[in-house]
């Protein structure tokens, strides 16, 4: 079953009144997200997918302050079209993970590396505030709609990369940057992303035959590999694979991830299994 | 408050020279640099290893003795003030740099290392630790992490959080964890981001992997003098609006300039009401281009004078004046309280008008030196804290200004933290439901009532009745 809330209050109503479900943040089964495991309905489980496609309103845009607040169902291309008229952009490059028709909710939930990271950082650097629905249906916000704030704990940053497991983020405030020259379009999406410490970059680079993009600036390789490929691992590296879902999402800090899940979603309602197997 | 006998267990885990007690110690450690509220500790301990910190935490938890972690005590919101007495855990003896990994541009250091010493240790490699709070010559890495400290160069380089790759963390039960520390920007939720800025309420950070940033190839620093604060504020909006991202963009008003001229001989042309300190860094040609644009914007906004620092010595002198500015205000009055509200930077002109109106209404002196590019205000009220009426006026004026920041869509604090100073003010920014989410964070880390109580979250059990006691002689 799929629900398509039109506003955050409807989203809260759905979450309050239902059991376990997965999030589908835009459209049904849009491939990269399914592949990376963001819509992680347990196989055979009865549940509900939430499509965030209608949560695509621009709440506030202040070009002079380089800030936008927007629904997480908005695609990256639409956001960049909106802010582009003021000479601004969200400098995320989604070329190697399926293009910029992914929504902000999907991109933030996945937090995959990208080729402009050395210059501009990534989602954790850009997210200033969020508005979300908690597992018990409470609507609340975190952060502030200004470029600098240390008021309270930065729990909105914990939602980055959480694959919808901690809360249903409906609205996000992002800092913006001057518009960039368009990059040549990528020919291929990658199905594996591997980042190492810079000292290991050459050794890693030599271990891939089918790299789509070598990003020496962040010591990252985007590649297309066969399903049986086992990457050569390095100290303190991380690997994210597409195409085989959550089982290949390498975990960090399992202790704290489990504690956070138990605290924020004690009944395991939100995207069960997407983050912690 | 616990008596000494209940602290005897500490002697089992630390040497005598690591445990300080007595009236002088209690007086020195009864506040940080936010001195309006004070509360005496029973003892101060100086652990030297992760294991000693963990052992101290275990002793305190067993005996239900409150713990307050502390770095150099330069915090500006009372985060290191021992609100319910008990033990202050000073990290000052944990001041070693453990590993420099220049190839991977990272360094592991203990929490008691002084901020500036981190940069000094790697400047010969062409690297530095970018967060540079004005207190950087004394404030510690652990304190910077606790407060998620900012500084003038935050505008381009960000606050402390993006420069912390991982931490060694002693939780509220005395267990030691390594958090983060992988290759940068891991895709999964990064708990380092929650520890940074948690004001020592989740546990104690004892070590950190920090990111080292290359020193810029070229740096240019300029001073622009303006006939009004409004003109300077509009120049700030103009610079940002033109798509320029200076390394720093700082404003100083007339009252602070009086103190700076007396303290550092900083001269300004006649008719100057506000000064902008602008720094651009990066590749030489880009710096040249950016500074030319900045000068154009300043002139368009009626700058009286625009002067480039002619050499490194002059540049350093300008920064000394800026960073020691609050200290120089000691010439104006015996006490200073610096507020820290943030507004969208486009609202700067109207907000500064409001700050002056509030100061006039409460008949107290105010000077402004602040991070204009971030919209992070620092109205510094100068007064005499021996006069209860003046203290009351300063607190009321501060609250009025913070209230206005929130009305304009801003935040109660940009870089000084909540501490004990702003717990009630947080209610202006966050609803009951927002605070419900905030209150879940300590649970994730298994924090308890012993670890730095009465900070960040408002209306904590057992804290409200102590508020009057903290205010001490003044109230």
């Amino acid at each position: 079953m799929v629900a398509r809330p039109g506003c955050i209050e409807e989203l809260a109503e759905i979450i309050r009144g239902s059991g376990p479900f997965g999030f589908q943040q835009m459209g049904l089964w849009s491939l990269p997200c399914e592949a990376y495991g963001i819509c992680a309905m347990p196989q055979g489980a009865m549940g509900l997918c939430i499509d965030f496609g209608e949560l695509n309103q621009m709440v506030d845009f202040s070009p002079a302050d380089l800030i936008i607040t927007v629904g997480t169902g908005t695609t990256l291309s639409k956001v960049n079209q909106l802010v582009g008229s003021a000479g601004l952009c969200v400098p995320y490059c989604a070329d190697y993970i399926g293009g910029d028709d992914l929504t902000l909710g999907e991109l933030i939930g996945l937090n995959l590396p990208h080729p402009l990271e050395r210059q501009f950082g990534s989602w954790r650097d850009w997210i200033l505030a969020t508005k979300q629905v908690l597992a018990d249906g409470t609507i609340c916000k975190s952060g502030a709609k200004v470029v600098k704030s240390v008021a309270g704990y930065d729990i909105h940053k914990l939602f980055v990369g959480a694959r919808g497991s901690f809360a249903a983020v409906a609205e996000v405030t992002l800092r913006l940057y001057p518009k960039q020259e368009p990059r040549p379009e990528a020919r291929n999406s990658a199905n594996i992303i591997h980042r190492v410490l810079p000292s290991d970059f050459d050794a890693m680079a030599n271990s891939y035959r089918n790299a789509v993009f070598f990003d020496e600036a962040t010591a990252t390789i985007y590649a297309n590999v066969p399903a049986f490929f086992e990457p050569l691992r390095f100290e303190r590296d991380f690997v994210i694979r597409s195409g085989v879902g959550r089982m290949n999402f390498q975990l960090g800090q399992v202790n704290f991830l489990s504690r956070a899940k138990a605290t924020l979603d004690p009944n395991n309602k939100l995207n069960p299994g997407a983050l912690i197997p | 408050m616990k008596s000494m006998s209940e602290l005897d267990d500490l002697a089992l885990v630390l040497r005598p020279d690591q445990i300080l007690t007595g009236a002088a110690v209690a007086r020195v450690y009864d506040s940080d640099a936010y001195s309006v509220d004070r509360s005496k500790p029973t003892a101060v301990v100086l652990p030297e290893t992760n294991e000693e910190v963990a052992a101290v935490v275990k002793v305190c938890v067993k005996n239900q003795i409150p713990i307050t972690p502390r770095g150099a005590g330069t915090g500006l919101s009372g985060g290191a003030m021992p609100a319910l007495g008990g033990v202050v855990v000073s990290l000052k003896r944990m001041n070693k740099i453990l590993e420099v990994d220049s190839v991977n541009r990272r360094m592991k250091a203990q929490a008691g290392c002084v901020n500036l010493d981190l940069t000094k240790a790697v400047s010969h490699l062409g690297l530095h630790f970018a967060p540079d709070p004005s207190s950087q010559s004394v404030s510690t890495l652990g304190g910077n992490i606790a407060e998620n400290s900012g500084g003038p160069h935050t505008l381009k380089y960000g606050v402390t959080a993006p420069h912390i790759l991982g931490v060694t963390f002693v939780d509220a039960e005395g267990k030691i964890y390594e958090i983060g520390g992988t290759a940068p920007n891991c895709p999964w939720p990064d708990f380092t981001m929650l520890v940074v800025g948690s004001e020592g309420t989740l546990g104690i950070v004892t070590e950190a992997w920090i990111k080292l940033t290359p020193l810029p190839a070229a740096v240019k620093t300029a001073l622009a003098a303006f006939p009004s604060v409004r003109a300077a504020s509009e120049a700030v909006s103009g610079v940002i609006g033109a798509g320029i991202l200076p390394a720093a963009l700082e404003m100083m008003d007339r009252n602070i300039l009086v103190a700076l001229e007396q303290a550092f001989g900083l001269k300004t042309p006649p008719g100057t009401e506000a000064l902008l300190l602008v720094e651009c860094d990066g590749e030489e040609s880009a710096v040249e281009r950016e500074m030319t644009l900045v000068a154009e914007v300043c002139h368009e906004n009626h700058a009286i004078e625009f002067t480039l620092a002619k050499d490194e010595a002059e540049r350093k002198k300008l920064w000394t004046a800026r960073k020691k500015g609050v200290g120089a205000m000691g010439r104006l009055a015996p006490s200073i309280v610096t507020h820290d509200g943030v507004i969208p930077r486009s609202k700067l002109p109207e907000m500064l008008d409001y700050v002056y109106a509030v100061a006039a209404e409460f008949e107290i002196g105010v000077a402004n030196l602040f991070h204009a590019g971030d919209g992070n205000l620092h109205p510094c009220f100068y007064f005499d804290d021996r006069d209860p009426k003046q203290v009351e006026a300063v607190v009321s004026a501060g609250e009025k200004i913070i209230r206005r920041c929130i009305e304009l869509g801003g935040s109660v604090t940009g870089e000084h933290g909540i501490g004990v100073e702003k717990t009630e003010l947080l209610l202006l920014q966050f609803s009951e439901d927002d605070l419900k989410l905030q209150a879940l964070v300590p649970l994730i880390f298994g924090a308890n009532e012993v670890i730095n109580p009465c900070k960040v979250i408002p209306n904590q059990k057992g804290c409200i009745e102590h508020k009057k006691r903290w205010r001490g002689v003044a109230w």
Side-chain angles (χ1 to χ4, degrees):
Chain A
M1 227 170 94
V2 176
R4 197 174 164 89
C7 60
I8 192 167
E9 288 75 19
E10 280 180 24
L11 176 65
E13 200 61 37
I14 294 164
I15 290 179
R16 216 173 282 131
S18 56
F21 46 78
F23 290 127
Q24 180 65 15
Q25 307 242 348
M26 164 70 190
L28 279 174
W29 317 115
S30 73
L31 188 68
C33 283
E34 187 198 358
Y36 282 102
I38 199 162
C39 185
M41 187 72 68
Q43 269 196 340
M46 294 294 287
L48 181 71
C49 259
I50 300 180
D51 178 345
F52 279 53
E54 296 285 320
L55 298 173
N56 62 354
Q57 309 300 311
M58 188 179 76
V59 181
D60 189 26
F61 173 38
S62 173
D65 297 310
L66 311 185
I67 284 175
I68 189 169
T69 302
V70 68
T72 52
T74 317
T75 61
L76 178 64
S77 58
K78 188 178 165 198
V79 174
N80 274 336
Q81 199 182 332
L82 280 167
V83 302
S85 56
L88 299 170
C89 76
V90 176
Y92 187 85
C93 173
D95 283 0
Y96 302 108
I97 59 158
D100 56 5
D101 282 335
L102 295 174
T103 64
L104 294 182
E106 290 169 321
L107 292 167
I108 292 167
L110 290 167
N111 189 36
L112 298 179
H114 69 111
L116 296 174
E117 209 172 306
R118 166 50 65 84
Q119 275 170 280
F120 300 104
S122 197
W123 299 107
R124 267 195 283 266
D125 305 304
W126 307 331
I127 285 197
L128 304 171
T130 53
K131 195 171 181 184
Q132 56 273 325
V133 179
L134 303 183
D136 67 357
T138 304
I139 298 174
C140 59
K141 61 182 190 302
S142 172
K145 295 177 178 180
V146 281
V147 291
K148 194 174 173 192
S149 171
V150 291
Y153 303 109
D154 279 351
I155 192 154
H156 47 288
K157 299 208 174 183
L158 199 68
F159 301 147
V160 176
R163 302 181 174 222
S165 295
F166 294 155
V169 181
E171 196 179 290
V172 62
T173 302
L174 297 171
R175 72 184 297 167
L176 301 169
Y177 292 80
K179 202 171 169 177
Q180 300 304 300
E181 293 295 318
R183 294 165 53 86
E185 230 170 85
R187 278 168 310 194
N188 287 311
S189 281
N191 65 7
I192 191 166
I193 304 172
H194 192 169
R195 175 167 294 174
V196 292
L197 293 176
S199 52
D200 295 322
F201 182 70
D202 288 344
M204 175 183 67
N206 288 331
S207 71
Y208 283 91
R209 291 182 192 283
N210 300 306
V212 175
F213 181 60
F214 290 92
D215 186 8
E216 197 168 355
T218 57
T220 309
I221 274 180
Y222 303 76
N224 252 315
V225 295
F228 56 81
F229 176 82
E230 282 301 324
L232 186 63
R233 301 303 300 264
F234 298 86
E235 197 195 350
R236 294 180 185 269
D237 68 348
F238 59 76
V239 175
I240 319 127
R241 293 186 83 142
S242 162
V244 284
R246 64 186 181 277
M247 295 312 290
N248 225 351
F249 178 58
Q250 177 216 36
L251 290 174
Q253 312 297 335
V254 179
N255 247 323
F256 286 103
L257 284 170
S258 303
R259 280 202 217 168
K261 182 68 174 168
T263 306
L264 293 163
D265 181 17
N267 297 318
N268 201 21
K269 283 169 75 172
L270 306 177
N271 244 4
L275 194 59
I276 308 156
Chain B
M1 187 172 297
K2 301 285 173 181
S3 66
M4 268 316 294
S5 61
E6 290 172 280
L7 297 172
D8 283 351
D9 285 357
L10 287 173
L12 301 173
V13 295
L14 296 175
R15 299 187 310 270
D17 71 292
Q18 293 176 289
I19 306 172
L20 311 177
T21 54
V25 168
R27 175 68 185 85
V28 168
Y29 287 88
D30 70 1
S31 79
D32 55 19
Y34 174 69
S35 57
V36 170
D37 289 328
R38 295 169 184 273
S39 171
K40 292 185 192 312
T42 310
V44 176
V45 297
L46 296 156
E48 291 165 16
T49 63
N50 296 337
E51 290 69 27
E52 284 181 355
V53 173
V56 167
V57 170
K58 282 178 186 161
V59 166
C60 290
V61 169
K62 186 182 130 203
N63 293 298
Q64 286 297 293
I65 300 165
I67 302 167
T68 307
R70 180 179 171 115
T74 53
L76 290 162
S77 58
M81 186 268 268
L84 301 183
V87 171
V88 167
V89 179
S90 169
L91 280 297
K92 283 295 280 182
R93 286 195 188 168
M94 293 188 67
N95 58 358
K96 292 179 194 65
I97 288 167
L98 302 172
E99 190 178 335
V100 176
D101 179 1
S102 60
V103 177
N104 293 313
R105 290 183 183 164
R106 59 186 194 139
M107 172 158 86
K108 193 176 193 185
Q110 289 183 314
C113 286
V114 169
N115 172 304
L116 203 55
D117 290 346
L118 301 170
T119 286
K120 281 182 187 164
V122 292
S123 54
H124 66 286
L125 301 167
L127 299 167
H128 75 301
F129 180 54
D132 66 333
S134 295
S135 59
Q136 72 180 143
S137 58
V138 278
S139 65
T140 61
L141 174 60
N144 294 167
I145 290 171
E147 300 298 316
N148 196 7
S149 301
H153 291 82
T154 296
L155 183 60
K156 182 169 181 178
Y157 293 98
V159 287
T160 300
H163 301 277
I164 304 300
L165 302 169
V167 293
T168 306
F169 174 82
V170 177
D171 79 357
E173 289 175 355
K175 288 187 198 136
I176 302 170
Y177 292 94
E178 297 280 334
I179 300 180
T182 58
N185 202 11
C186 64
W188 54 79
D190 185 358
F191 289 85
T192 316
M193 292 295 109
L194 268 188
V195 172
V196 179
S198 61
E199 305 191 22
T201 60
L202 305 178
I204 303 178
V205 171
T206 54
E207 300 166 351
W209 275 108
I210 63 172
K211 187 196 281 184
L212 299 174
T213 305
L215 288 164
V219 185
K220 277 190 188 293
T221 308
L223 270 186
F226 290 87
S228 69
V229 168
R230 184 166 275 269
S233 306
E234 280 164 2
V236 169
S237 296
V239 168
I240 302 291
I244 307 164
L245 187 60
L249 185 46
E250 302 282 298
M251 196 192 294
M252 293 165 259
D253 74 358
R254 158 77 6 219
N255 285 349
I256 197 82
L257 293 177
V258 170
L260 289 177
E261 183 166 357
Q262 287 176 17
F264 303 107
L266 186 73
K267 299 268 185 227
T268 51
T272 301
E273 286 297 317
L275 206 58
L276 280 186
L277 176 62
V278 193
E279 185 158 284
C280 295
D281 70 10
E283 291 304 319
E284 197 139 359
S285 58
V287 171
E288 194 72 42
R289 194 172 58 243
E290 280 186 355
M291 209 38 123
T292 308
L293 272 171
V294 169
E296 277 172 23
V297 173
C298 288
H299 287 307
E300 278 164 18
N301 286 283
H302 316 292
I304 304 168
E305 196 175 271
F306 186 90
T307 333
L308 275 175
K310 61 179 186 299
D311 53 29
E312 187 59 18
E314 200 171 299
R315 205 180 73 76
K316 282 202 168 137
K317 200 174 150 195
L318 290 180
W319 275 114
T320 302
R322 165 60 188 92
K323 292 199 173 182
K324 306 279 185 198
V326 173
M329 285 183 62
R331 291 160 189 269
L332 303 180
S335 312
I336 295 152
V337 164
T338 305
H339 282 280
D340 179 39
V342 188
I343 46 158
R345 58 196 143 207
S346 58
K347 313 274 191 208
L348 265 181
E350 69 172 283
M351 187 64 209
L352 285 169
D353 287 347
Y354 188 79
V355 168
Y356 293 122
V358 169
E361 180 192 335
F362 286 91
E363 297 179 343
I364 41 176
V366 69
N368 288 283
L369 81 165
F370 62 101
H371 314 307
D374 291 321
N376 187 185
L377 302 171
H378 285 331
C380 306
F381 292 116
Y382 45 96
F383 63 106
D384 187 340
D385 70 358
R386 291 164 297 190
D387 175 2
K389 278 194 180 145
Q390 286 191 45
V391 175
E392 196 171 347
V394 164
V395 172
S396 302
E399 284 184 12
K400 203 163 176 181
I401 285 168
I402 295 295
R403 210 172 273 276
R404 187 77 183 134
C405 288
I406 298 299
E407 284 166 8
L408 291 175
S411 169
V412 299
T413 173
E415 57 184 16
H416 294 176
I418 300 293
V420 288
E421 183 200 17
K422 304 188 200 79
T423 50
E424 304 308 317
L425 293 174
L426 204 56
L427 297 166
L428 298 175
Q429 188 172 335
F430 289 146
S431 71
E432 207 174 299
D433 284 341
D434 301 340
L435 287 168
K436 186 175 129 186
L437 174 61
Q438 290 286 315
L440 293 176
V441 174
L443 301 182
I444 295 172
F445 287 84
N448 51 34
E449 289 169 1
V450 165
I451 185 86
N452 212 5
C454 308
K455 315 288 167 67
V456 185
I457 305 278
N459 300 325
Q460 285 178 46
K461 203 174 119 197
C463 296
I464 300 160
E465 62 268 30
H466 288 275
K467 280 189 166 288
K468 279 192 178 169
R469 179 175 66 80
W470 298 337
R471 203 49 59 94
V473 288
W475 277 6

